[in-house]
């Protein structure tokens, strides 16, 4: 009887241990976002406190906004991701498709910049920047040119064959720059005829290459092929840190607000934890870590940065004050037709 009792006790202890292990098992949340610097920054500096507090692991599903949106759409009946980051224009589409659920009320929502509230908080901006211009300081110095000051500098005849422009169908940078040019020619976010009509005799002849994304900018700036191109302050800072001769310029007419927004994916398998993660990513704590670790500027106005991060935060806020928010609702109604027109008449 004694051996049996010992066996029974051991078995019971083993069962209790297994039950305790099951209860303590770490859950996994999947978040879709850009790879590269964003994935590295959030994985190394931002997710940690949330993971420790909630005993979860946050795993990045890397990809561009279009890729992440396609994944969410394909799995809408049984989502594989819990939260996703998308460029703001793409996020408006995601909300319209019913892929997002409204974010629950939390203290961080009240501290966001007005532009960070998307569709009654169906989505929220996590990091904010602007699209303006960047120029190759080496090329400009060698030519004795003054730094650019306006969107119309893209059409300056001296830059023939020296402008690199991101393709409108695939790049928010390119779309923003085109809409800024279109506005200067008398157009609106609902009427782009002025921009399309003026392009062939203005910016068009200066473009050495239309690129599908900004990955080639680094190489083309180093070789001197790219003298002027649409870009952001954050990306310019990253290139400069690698020794590439680039400087950001805020066009005198104003830049265009560019946000990366998040949404909790509708019908995901961990709705409460996903809401908690979304709330945390809006917090001053999380956004300060993203700023310090990767120069991702906050949308929460209560973020208190120090040193170089404080200077970067103030610089971005100054840029945002003079930047405009485009009408994504209107743009998304017509984007498909614009893409076709661009491919047919601009990049033919």
């Amino acid at each position: 009887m004694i051996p049996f009792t010992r066996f029974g006790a051991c078995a019971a202890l083993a069962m209790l241990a297994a039950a305790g292990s099951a209860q303590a098992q770490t859950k996994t949340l999947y978040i879709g976002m850009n790879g590269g610097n964003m994935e590295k920054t959030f994985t190394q500096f931002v997710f940690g406190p949330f993971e420790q507090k909630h005993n979860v692991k946050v795993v990045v599903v890397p990809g561009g906004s279009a890729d992440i949106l396609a994944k969410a759409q394909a799995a809408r009946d049984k989502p594989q991701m819990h939260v996703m980051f998308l460029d703001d224009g793409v996020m408006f589409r995601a909300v319209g498709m019913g892929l997002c659920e409204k974010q629950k009320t939390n203290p961080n929502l009240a501290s966001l910049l007005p532009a960070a509230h998307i569709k009654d908080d169906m989505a929220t901006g996590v990091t904010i920047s602007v699209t303006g211009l960047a120029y190759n300081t080496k090329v400009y110095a060698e030519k004795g040119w003054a730094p650019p000051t306006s969107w119309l500098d893209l059409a300056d005849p001296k830059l023939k064959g020296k402008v690199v422009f991101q393709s409108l169908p695939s790049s928010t940078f390119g779309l923003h720059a085109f809409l800024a040019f279109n506005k200067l020619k008398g157009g609106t976010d609902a009427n782009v005829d002025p921009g399309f009509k003026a392009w062939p005799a203005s910016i068009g002849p200066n473009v050495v290459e239309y690129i599908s994304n900004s990955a080639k900018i680094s190489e083309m700036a180093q070789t001197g092929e790219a003298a002027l191109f649409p870009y952001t302050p954050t990306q310019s800072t990253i290139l400069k840190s690698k020794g590439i001769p680039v400087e950001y310029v805020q066009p005198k007419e104003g830049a265009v607000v560019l946000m990366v927004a998040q949404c909790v994916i509708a019908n995901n398998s961990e709705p409460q934890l996903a809401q908690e993660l979304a709330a945390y990513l809006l917090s001053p704590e999380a956004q300060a870590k993203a700023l310090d670790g990767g120069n991702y500027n906050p949308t929460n106005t209560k973020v208190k940065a120090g040193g170089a991060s404080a200077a970067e935060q103030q610089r971005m806020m100054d840029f945002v004050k003079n930047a405009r928010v485009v009408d994504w609702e209107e743009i998304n109604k017509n984007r498909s037709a614009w893409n076709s027109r661009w491919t047919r008449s601009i990049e033919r």
Side-chain angles (χ1 to χ4, degrees):
M1 290 293 293
I2 293 174
F4 179 82
T5 302
R6 287 177 178 171
F7 174 80
C10 290
L13 288 171
M15 290 173 66
L16 285 170
S21 176
Q23 289 176 357
Q25 187 175 13
T26 301
K27 292 183 177 181
T28 301
L29 293 181
Y30 293 94
I31 181 168
M33 66 163 58
N34 282 330
N37 189 61
M38 176 168 273
E39 177 182 1
K40 178 181 177 182
T41 298
F42 278 77
T43 299
Q44 290 188 358
F45 303 110
V46 181
F47 295 142
F50 179 85
E51 292 175 320
Q52 293 166 16
K53 179 180 179 180
H54 295 277
N55 189 32
V56 299
K57 179 65 178 174
V58 180
V59 175
V60 171
V61 179
S65 291
D67 297 328
I68 297 300
L69 178 63
K71 285 182 172 69
Q73 191 174 11
R76 66 183 306 150
D77 293 331
K78 191 176 182 181
Q80 304 300 302
M81 297 180 291
H82 300 87
V83 176
M84 60 181 170
F85 279 21
L86 303 173
D87 287 349
D88 46 6
V90 181
M91 184 60 80
F92 272 85
R93 291 169 54 199
V95 171
M97 292 174 181
L99 297 175
C100 301
E101 70 175 41
K102 183 177 174 64
Q103 291 178 32
K104 292 183 178 179
T105 301
N106 66 78
N108 299 317
L109 289 172
S111 304
L112 297 185
L113 292 165
H117 296 277
I118 295 175
K119 301 291 286 184
D120 194 27
D121 293 332
M122 292 296 292
T124 49
V126 176
T127 179
I128 192 165
S129 187
V130 293
T131 304
L133 293 171
Y135 71 102
N136 190 317
T137 55
K138 183 179 179 182
V139 170
Y140 271 69
E142 289 174 349
K143 298 288 188 181
W145 295 340
T149 61
S150 166
W151 288 110
L152 295 177
D153 281 302
L154 289 164
D156 191 324
K158 72 185 180 190
L159 285 165
K160 186 173 183 178
K162 288 291 186 180
V163 168
V164 174
F165 204 91
Q166 295 90 337
S167 182
L168 183 148
S170 59
S171 168
T172 302
F173 294 174
L175 174 64
H176 279 173
F178 173 75
L179 289 173
F181 173 71
N182 176 65
K183 184 179 179 184
L184 292 175
K185 293 299 178 181
T188 67
D189 292 342
N191 174 23
V192 294
D193 281 342
F196 272 108
K197 289 176 180 176
W199 193 273
S202 54
I203 296 176
N206 289 351
V207 177
V208 62
E209 185 175 347
Y210 292 99
I211 57 178
S212 59
N213 59 61
S214 293
K216 290 186 69 175
I217 289 290
S218 174
E219 174 189 339
M220 297 180 79
Q222 285 179 298
T223 61
E225 293 175 273
L228 186 63
F229 42 91
Y231 222 44
T232 70
T234 302
Q235 293 299 318
S236 299
T237 298
I238 292 171
L239 290 191
K240 285 175 65 178
S241 71
K242 298 177 180 178
I244 299 171
V246 165
E247 191 67 60
Y248 174 80
V249 168
Q250 179 87 339
K252 63 184 180 183
E253 303 90 356
V256 182
V257 169
L258 171 69
M259 279 192 304
V260 174
Q262 66 169 354
C263 87
V264 176
I265 295 178
N267 303 314
N268 75 79
S269 62
E270 295 288 345
Q272 184 58 39
L273 273 175
Q275 286 282 351
E276 294 280 358
L277 176 59
Y280 167 71
L281 293 173
L282 298 178
S283 70
E285 176 192 5
Q287 295 202 354
K289 291 179 182 297
L291 176 61
D292 289 337
N295 287 321
Y296 289 102
N297 284 279
T299 55
N300 191 315
T301 58
K302 290 187 176 180
V303 172
K304 301 297 182 186
S309 293
E312 173 66 17
Q313 182 184 11
Q314 185 57 55
R315 187 173 80 123
M316 183 59 67
M317 289 303 99
D318 290 342
F319 290 153
V320 170
K321 287 176 187 175
N322 189 36
R324 77 181 183 100
V325 178
V326 296
D327 186 346
W328 282 113
E329 298 277 24
E330 197 64 48
I331 291 166
N332 285 332
K333 288 179 190 175
N334 302 297
R335 186 75 183 272
S336 180
W338 295 357
N339 291 348
S340 298
R341 186 174 179 181
W342 178 274
T343 302
R344 186 175 65 251
S345 63
I346 304 298
E347 289 192 56
R348 63 185 186 279

